[in-house]
Structures are given as structure tokens and as C-alpha cells.
Amino acid sequence: MPPPLLLLFFSLLPPADGRGELRAFVVAHSHMDVGWVYTVQESMHAYAANVYTTVVEELMKGKQRKFIAVEQEFFRLWWDAVATDTQKQQVHQLLQEGRLEFVIGGQVMHDEAVTLIDDQILQLTEGHGFLYETFGIRPQFSWHIDPFGASATTPTLFALAGFNAHLISRVDYDLKADMQKNKKLQFVWQGSPSLSERQEIFTHVMDQYSYCTPSQIPFSNRSGFYWNGIAAFPDPPKDGVYPNMSLPVTDTNIHLYAKTMVANIKERAAWFRTSDVLWPWGCDKQFFNASVQYSNMDLLLDYINKHSDEFGVTVQYATVGDYFQAIYSRNLTWEIRDSQDFLPYSTEPFQAWTGFYTSRSTLKGVARRASSLLYAGESFFTQYVQKHPASSICKCGALKQLQSLRWAVSEVQHHDGITGTESPKVKDMYMNNLMYGIFNVKKLMASIIFDMNNAKKNGEVYSSVYNKDSGIPVAISGLSYRKYSIKALNGKQSAFIGRSVKYKQKDITRADQESRQLLPVVNNCYQVLFDQNTNLMHSITERETNQTVRLTQEFLEYHVNGDVKKGPISDNYLFAPNASAIPVSKAVGLEVVSGNLMTEIRQYFYSNVTAQDYVYAVYTRMYTIPEGYDGKLLCHRIEQEYSVGPLELNREAVLRTSTNLNTRQLLYTDSNGYQIQKRPFKAYMNNTVARNYYPMVQTAYIEDDTTRLMLLAERAHGVSSQGNGQVEVMLHRRLWNNLQWDLNYNLTLNDSSVVRPVIWLILGTKALTNVLYRTSGLALEHRPVVMFGALSDKPKLPRQLQQNSVHGSPVTVPPNLHLQTLSIPGWRYSSNHAEQVHSVRAGKQKQGDANFSRALLRIRHLYEVGEDPVLSQPVMVNLKSLLNGLGSVILVEERSLTGTWDVNTLKRWKWKTAQYPSKGFSNSTETSENSIVTVHPKEIRTFFVYFQGQ
């Protein structure tokens, strides 16, 4: 989306200091949202296909012309369905000549605030695999121009993928003004405290003009430099005349155009340390008619260069790589930025972009469930292919089923996708694609189960567990699969029996504080007390240390304005509360349902004592672990599921948890499920509530000197600490406003749904929660996939045989590691780079079947250096014995994050800093010998694994 216009109070700065003649790098680009206002199909038809068709044609006409391509989803759709053989050959030629450059190279430009690192890696791998297989190229620069704030995980991710430089744009308006003034828009970013200089990356923050060409020109009432005008929907105009086409360059206005462009180049040069100026030429949905774009700009650049003595500027078409190469060759010493991120993001005093952390909560939840199912499906299929080489399932068809969900999960990571900032029809597009992919992968998993069970002719394979107690506990090891047949016992109790006790609804406004009666709910780890005067939670005691924390929870609503004439508004992006949040209920109902394995406490929140219906409810679950099971994780979680909605218009719903912990209003939140950021409460002149909201993707916590309260989430939320000992989570938003821009694009977030997010609470000492929260977060993210099917007949095999025929030995890693990815990507490229480039250039890219012999494995260390005395240690892993349950490993190759580089040949640019005064190349990891690897804190290590007999 285009950046809102900034207040132009920067232009009084002195001209650039004497650093020789200024050199402007004119980077032609089109920002193409994979979604947002229009669906992908609508965009392809209206403009996106024309971008690639006309750009390729125009680049072939002028050797000096260049262009950068970003989002792979659009490019791949063009390549597969539109491009002719001639155009494909031309793309190969332009890439070899360095005149077409792919930057980022992921399927989308992912959001940085509410996405999970696994899904960022997925969408990047998906795009990079296509580019490497098709062209033998590997993107080396980022162009993260539009995500709403910048995460510290992203620079680490791009460094691990082999990038040499990172580019961002949207940071706080006041911070950007300060960075501009002090020439600090460029620095070396050490995004991960544990990986620090090993995975640092040079980072460029765009100036106040951001990624769009300045459109005001003094000699015309039309915008300038946009000669093809604005894309038209639904159909391109038949006569080729688009709205708001800039004045063509003519002999009479060329000098005026040149003066305008040169003035802007000089203004920008004053904000940077070198005389190289990045001049983005383009904006949203540009270059659908590249002919008129380049023919005008050619004239302008030639004119400026012919008069460079007069202007003091030279100009050239460039790629992002050309610009960064020029900066790198200056050999300057750069400041280091630590792992602090650029979130939240505000564009002006009353525009805090913190609403989107919660917008469209249902989409956020489905996207994460889809991602979790995808990882289960990938690993299940990988095991199946290794163990059942002569299977009856068509492997190519199976790969297509997995690819449909890879594509959908990648697509929704777009910065106007999972953010909830899209129009309703685009939300439906994301949902439909996710549901289609989910259906395919469930179907694949069911057919694998069916095939494995029919593999032996002597009947089906079942494990039977009968248990007349309520519920059936089962233990499943890592990456393994179990089958159970479950029957009702004739005439006896059903499998689940619970006792339900309903308590009288209480008026919480008139509660008697003196005669407090407390209702205990207890398991082996916690005692939770409920106040029977109010039916609200009263306190939690961690039983091992006997530490009690006073803790109460309430729902509140922020009332927000929807009338632009009356002040700042909340919308899909922005959160602009009028005042403090208001409690929603005056009466609370309570019901306790208890069984042998679980107790569920149901609280219903009513707007008043006589109300029959409730808009808010909490279902709190505590688990009791039977003898013989390791229930440490299960016992130490208080699971809460909320039911919220439908809301009234212009309400933002939060759950506020208040404790007696002296937290000094310091909050901790995770960054993309990868690392933790410290969030001290900051006071601002305006909008303090909204500017102290942060994204929680998986984790948030508050603590005092001894005790920590952790929240683990299965979807993203906005989270804040608005008072000492408090943490509040925004669960749902329903908004409408009359801002014309929002109305035009149907971006008013009238979300009347009921949302049912889940949060796990863990309370305990810092040492205990440190041990629990990483694995608990993964357990919440990757809950077991349960599938049901009818029995055809009784089990015929004895029990021992049943166990072995289905379940190979499980794949389990030490508690501080996470087996992040196990999949068969199917790419046909050679892992030898010279070989791959040769086969691409000779036109011999392997056609036909996908490659099923190569598995992709990622292992991640979950802990930071110094976070825990034991779990923060490096871990040595023998990959051959780790994967023994799948088959015999014959070869392991260590690769870059997305698989396209052999790490032994990956030499990233090393930028000079005061800490490291020499410039050169950095080699990131010690590589593996004999498939034994040592994984250090926070490392993500990526391997290609080849098994015997494949």
C-alpha cells in the first residue's frame, strides 16, 4: 500500500556535503501486493501480467534499462500461464546481463510483526527454490519496503539465506526524522543477540519519500514520473489511456523535469553518508505499460547526464544490487545496531499501526493451523516415502497436494494478508486457498494411513486402548504415528464422564469483599482459587515452590471513533482509543466440569444481571496426569479458550490479567516465535495506550524478581502492559469508519464473527518457566493431528506385531533443539552450483518428475546464549543416528537457510564496523563432518539428506 504522505518539515536541510559529484541509482520497480484490495486473479488480469510482459519487451530495446522483480507469486503465475517461449529466453538473457534482478525472491513480501519464523522461511524457500531451479540464480538483497514496522528476526533470516544487504522503510516517523538528520539511516544490524556478528547484515532505511517516486511536480497539476498513470480495475482500458498519466517529456518541459528530479536527488543525498543516492522509480501497481515509462525516462536521464556539470549529478538505471555494491565499495566504517526492532510503527502522532496485530483474528488462527498441518503432512510424507518405497500412492500427486498448502500458507504471509488489512473478498481468497490446501493435505495423510494399513494382506492394523475412566491418555513420541480403535462399551459408561456443578450468577458490582469464599481447583502443579462472590479468578499457587500470585482477569473494551470529522480513527491498521478501556460485564456465571483427567472452569460474562446472552466466555482447563505418564508440560499449563463476539461496532476487546507482581510495567514479547524483545512502557505526548501495544506471535510475559507469568498463543495478538503487574491481550476488533480512502477500498473491518483463540498460562520461577516455555510453545503450535475413520473389521494381528508394523522408531531431538523442517521439497536442481548453472544455460533444466531422493532437514536451537545454565549449551547431534528411524542416511549436505547455497561456498559481504575494522567476506558456520554437527544457541541449520535405496 502507498505510504501516507509525511509532513514535509525536513526540506530545510543544507545541501549534501562535498563528497564529489552525486550519483543517482534509478531503481525501476512495481510494488505488487499479493492480495490487499484486489484478489490475485483480479490483479493478474488488470495489471500484473502486463508488468512482466511489457517490462521484458522494453528491457530488450535498451541496453541501459534495468528493473527489479520482487514477489514470486505473480512472476510464477506469469511464467507458467502467460509468458511465451521467446519471453522466457529473454528473461534468461536479462538475468545473465544483470539488467533484471530478483530481490527478496520469496513468494510474497512477508509481514514482519505477526508472522511465525517457520512460515517466513517457508515462503522464502518456496520462491528461492523456483528461482534456482529455473534460472540458477539466488537473490542476495532484500527490499522490505512496505511491512508495517521492522522485526529483528528478519535481518537474521536474510543473513542465513545468504543476503548481502537488507532494505526497510516503515519505521516510526519521529525516529526516521532523527535518523535522517543525523545520517544514521544505514547501519550494520546484529538482529540476534546470540548469533551477533556471525549473522549481521548491512541495513538501509529508506528516507521520508519511501519507495514511491515523489509525485508532486511544480509545472503540472498531474503527478510526475508516472507516465503510464494508475492501474485500472477490473479491465485494462481498451484505448490504453489510464487515469492520471504524467505529462510526457518534451523539449519544452524536459529542463523543468530535470530540475525537479535533481532537486529531489540533492535533498535525499543530504541524509546519507555517501554521494550514492538510491532513487526508487515506481510505486504500487506500476510499469503495466513499460514502454511509455522507459521512453520518457530515457530522455530525462540522457538530458541530466549531458548537463551533469550544470546539475552536479549523474543518473543511471540500476538494480538494488548495483546500489549496494557502490556503497560496499566505499569501504566506510558503519555503526552497529543491536537486536532491538522497529516495532510498533507510527506514521504521525495519532496513527499507531498496532491494530493490525489483532485484525481478522480468525484468519490469523486458520493461517497458523494450516501451517502446523503442513509441517505434519510434510514430515509424514517424508517418512512414508523412505519406509514404503514401493507404495501405491502416486508420489507426484502427493507432492501437488502438499504444494497447494505450501502455496496457500506462503501467500497469506503477505503484509496485507495475515495482518488482516485486506478487503473482505481478498480475505475470502486467502481462506479458500488455505481450506483447499488443508483439505488436500488431510486427504493425503488419510491415504497414507490407509495405504500403510493395507500394505500387509492379513487384515488391518489397530492398537486398541480400552479405558472406562473419563478420557483416554496416550503418549506419542516425536514424529511418530499411532492408531487406536475406540468403541463404546455395551451398556456401560461412555468413555468420558464428567461432573458438572453450576454456581449462581454473581453481580460483581455489589460483591461483598468481607466474607470472601474461595473455590479451589487443583492439579499436581497448581492450585487456582475462584472468588465465589464474583465468580472471577482470585489467585494461582505454584505448588512446588508454594508461591501464590494474586491474579484476576476481566474483559474490557476500548471504544473508538469512526467519524473522521471527530478525530483520529481506528481501522484495519490503526488503533486509536478514545480513552481507557471499559469493563464489559456486571455479572459472571460459573460452571465447573470435572473428570479424572481434566477440570474445565467455564465463566460466562454478562453485560448486566438480567441479561440472558453473553458475548464473552472463558473456558479454563487444568489437567491431571495419571501414573506412568510424563506430564510435566501438560500439568504446568493452565489452558484458556476464549469466546468473544459478535462485538458492537467500533469496539476493541481485550482480556486484562492483573497480578500483584511488581513488574515495573515491563513487558516481554516474542519476535516471530524466534527471540524475545524487552518492552518497557513509554510515555508519549499523544496516543500512549496504542503506542505501547506490541505484537505477540507466540509468547508474552511479565515478571518480578522471582516469579514469571507467561502467555503462549496459537495465533497473533496485540499485547500491552498498561499498568504495573498487568498484561492485556487484544482478542477481537470490529470497526467501521467514514474515511473515504477506507470506504473506497472496503477496508473498514466490520468483522461480526465470534473468535475462539486459545492461550496457555504458565506461572512459576524464571528457571522453571525457562525450561517449559519453548517446548510448551511448540506443543501448542504443533498439536497432534487426529484423524478418524470407520473400522472395516476387527484387528487380526497380535499386539506386538501391530506396534511394529506401523510405528518405526521415533525421531526425537534433545529438549533444547527443535526439528523445524523435515520435507521433500521436490526441486530438481543440482546441489552443485556450477552444474546447475551449466544445465540452465544449456537449456537442460531437468524436466519431468520431481526429485524424491532429497529430504530437507532444518534443526533449530531454541535458546539464547546465557538464558539457561543447561539448555543454552551447544548440542552435538549425529544426524545419521537421529534419522535412523526413517532409514539409512548415506549423504548429508549442509545448505543455506532456503537450500540454494552450499554453505562451504557461501561468502557473504562483511561490512566494516568499529568492532570489525576489516572488510571482506564472512563464512557463517562450521560445516559438518561425518554428519555430526554441533548446534549453537539460536542457530538454524539446514541440510539436504539422502537415504539408502532412494
Side-chain angles (χ1 to χ4, degrees), residues 526 542 545 547 549 636 661-664 666 668 678 701-710 762-774 863 866-872:
Y526 297 116
E542 202 280 311
T545 56
Q547 184 111 28
V549 174
H636 271 107
L661 298 175
N662 180 20
T663 62
R664 295 180 282 281
L666 180 59
Y668 296 83
K678 200 172 181 173
Y701 63 86
I702 54 173
E703 63 184 20
D704 65 9
D705 297 337
T706 58
T707 307
R708 181 183 288 169
L709 173 68
M710 303 214 68
I762 300 177
L763 180 75
T765 61
K766 293 181 190 182
L768 174 75
T769 54
N770 257 346
V771 171
L772 292 172
Y773 87 93
R774 302 271 182 195
Y863 285 81
E867 187 179 351
D868 183 89
V870 178
L871 295 167
S872 291

Side-chain angles (χ1 to χ4, degrees), residues 501-513:
V501 180
K502 285 192 174 143
Y503 293 86
K504 204 170 152 229
Q505 187 190 40
K506 292 293 161 69
D507 179 345
I508 56 176
T509 59
R510 311 239 299 273
D512 176 5
Q513 295 305 318

Side-chain angles (χ1 to χ4, degrees), residues 629-663:
Y629 288 89
D630 173 17
K632 194 164 115 185
L633 287 186
L634 193 56
C635 175
H636 271 107
R637 83 175 64 131
I638 297 171
E639 177 175 305
Q640 292 198 314
E641 182 178 340
Y642 311 103
S643 175
V644 180
L647 301 178
E648 289 176 40
L649 269 180
N650 290 326
R651 299 286 186 269
E652 317 217 12
V654 302
L655 175 83
R656 182 177 290 166
T657 301
S658 304
T659 71
N660 62 343
L661 298 175
N662 180 20
T663 62

